[in-house]
Amino acid sequence: MTALCVATIYPFLYLLSLSFSTGDVPLTRIHLLPPTWTWANYEKVLTNEYILSGFANTIARTAIGTALSLTATVFAAYPLAKRFFPHRTFWTGFIVFTMFFSGGLIPNYLLVKSLGLMNSVWALVLPGLVSAFSLIIARNFFMALPESLEESARIDGANDIVILFRIVVPVSMPIIATLTLWTAVQHWNAWFDSLIYMTDAHKQVLQVVMRRIVLQGTKDMMDVNSFEDPNLVANPDMIKAATVIVTVVPIVLFYPFLQKYFVKGVLVGSLKG
């Protein structure tokens, strides 16, 4: 386990060290602490217009996509968890069917283009609004809840909407937090759909910008802003490392807030957190 942890953490520590290193540090040396410190790499990255716009686009996509996806998943999973729901088995099987077969890339692209969603955040959110896997997980969790909770609420005169938001959702925070984490990470890391549907460079998400910087070099992407101070001219490899760190750190900081719910949410048979 120690060896696995070291193998997992070392690349991040190495990138973090490179991101704070000056351009004269040899890349052939293995070091976890920068021999010479500098903030020039991060200043170069955080003042680049493409990275700033990509960061804002990624945050907007993650926030909108996670909120809408979670809402749609809960609204779809709750009725499917009820035994009295008409044709529940058919609709569940219909949803599971989509996990094995899909229309493909070209029909999806033609659909998004015909709906006029190109170069908008909705092209990144609506096509994958509901995940069949998350829907089944939430459905199984709702099915494990005791029926007596809802029966007592109905006796007090609560309708289905009140029961869902006042009874079911509060005791289902473990699975809701888990689905929130999964969906947020998925939206934050997604890049291929943005590469296809976004033709405006200023509407690309951060991951596409990082991909262009890391794979295609930094010249075209990082020379946008001019700097009067010659000390801020950094090594391209150090800039790439700083770009990766800026991309990874925000979603890593998101984990501790949902960590206490994550293990409980994976155990689908749990009742409450």
Side-chain angles (χ1 to χ4, degrees), residues 145-173:
L145 297 178
E147 295 182 359
S148 57
L149 290 175
E150 299 184 22
E151 292 175 355
S152 60
R154 293 186 188 278
I155 295 176
D156 293 336
N159 56 29
D160 291 329
I161 300 298
V162 174
I163 292 175
L164 176 61
F165 287 101
R166 299 286 298 273
I167 304 297
V168 176
V169 170
V171 300
S172 302
M173 287 307 299

Side-chain angles (χ1 to χ4, degrees), residues 93-111:
F94 184 79
I95 294 172
V96 173
F97 178 82
T98 63
M99 297 175 63
F100 302 96
F101 302 95
S102 64
L105 177 60
I106 296 178
N108 287 335
Y109 178 83
L110 295 177
L111 176 62

Side-chain angles (χ1 to χ4, degrees), residues 145-222:
L145 297 178
E147 295 182 359
S148 57
L149 290 175
E150 299 184 22
E151 292 175 355
S152 60
R154 293 186 188 278
I155 295 176
D156 293 336
N159 56 29
D160 291 329
I161 300 298
V162 174
I163 292 175
L164 176 61
F165 287 101
R166 299 286 298 273
I167 304 297
V168 176
V169 170
V171 300
S172 302
M173 287 307 299
I175 191 62
I176 291 177
T178 302
L179 295 180
T180 301
L181 181 62
W182 286 350
T183 307
V185 172
Q186 178 184 358
H187 278 291
W188 185 271
N189 293 332
W191 61 272
F192 187 69
D193 51 356
S194 177
L195 186 65
I196 295 175
Y197 301 135
M198 299 296 178
T199 58
D200 187 349
H202 290 89
K203 293 186 178 181
Q204 295 285 6
V205 296
L206 182 60
Q207 284 67 28
V208 175
V209 178
M210 182 190 70
R211 178 178 178 273
R212 290 178 175 175
I213 293 176
V214 174
L215 297 183
Q216 301 177 11
T218 59
K219 181 176 178 55
D220 295 336
M221 299 297 295
M222 300 305 300

Side-chain angles (χ1 to χ4, degrees), residues 65-75 129 175-177 179-180 183:
T66 302
L68 293 180
S69 178
L70 187 62
T71 302
T73 300
V74 171
F75 279 147
L129 183 62
I175 191 62
I176 291 177
L179 295 180
T180 301
T183 307

Side-chain angles (χ1 to χ4, degrees), residues 231-263:
N231 295 326
L232 296 182
V233 178
N235 187 298
D237 293 316
M238 311 310 180
I239 295 179
K240 293 178 182 179
T243 305
V244 173
I245 295 299
V246 169
T247 306
V248 172
V249 166
I251 198 64
V252 171
L253 297 178
F254 186 64
Y255 274 84
F257 297 99
L258 298 177
Q259 183 179 7
K260 64 179 181 180
Y261 297 109
F262 185 76
V263 176

Side-chain angles (χ1 to χ4, degrees), residues 73-83 85 87-93 95-96 131-145 168 172 175 179 268-269:
T73 300
V74 171
F75 279 147
Y78 180 66
L80 286 176
K82 301 305 169 187
R83 297 178 181 178
F85 184 75
H87 309 293
R88 182 182 68 162
T89 303
F90 168 78
W91 292 115
T92 302
I95 294 172
V96 173
S131 168
F133 178 77
S134 300
L135 180 59
I136 298 301
I137 292 294
R139 169 186 175 271
N140 293 341
F141 188 95
F142 292 152
M143 290 177 62
L145 297 178
V168 176
S172 302
I175 191 62
L179 295 180
V268 180

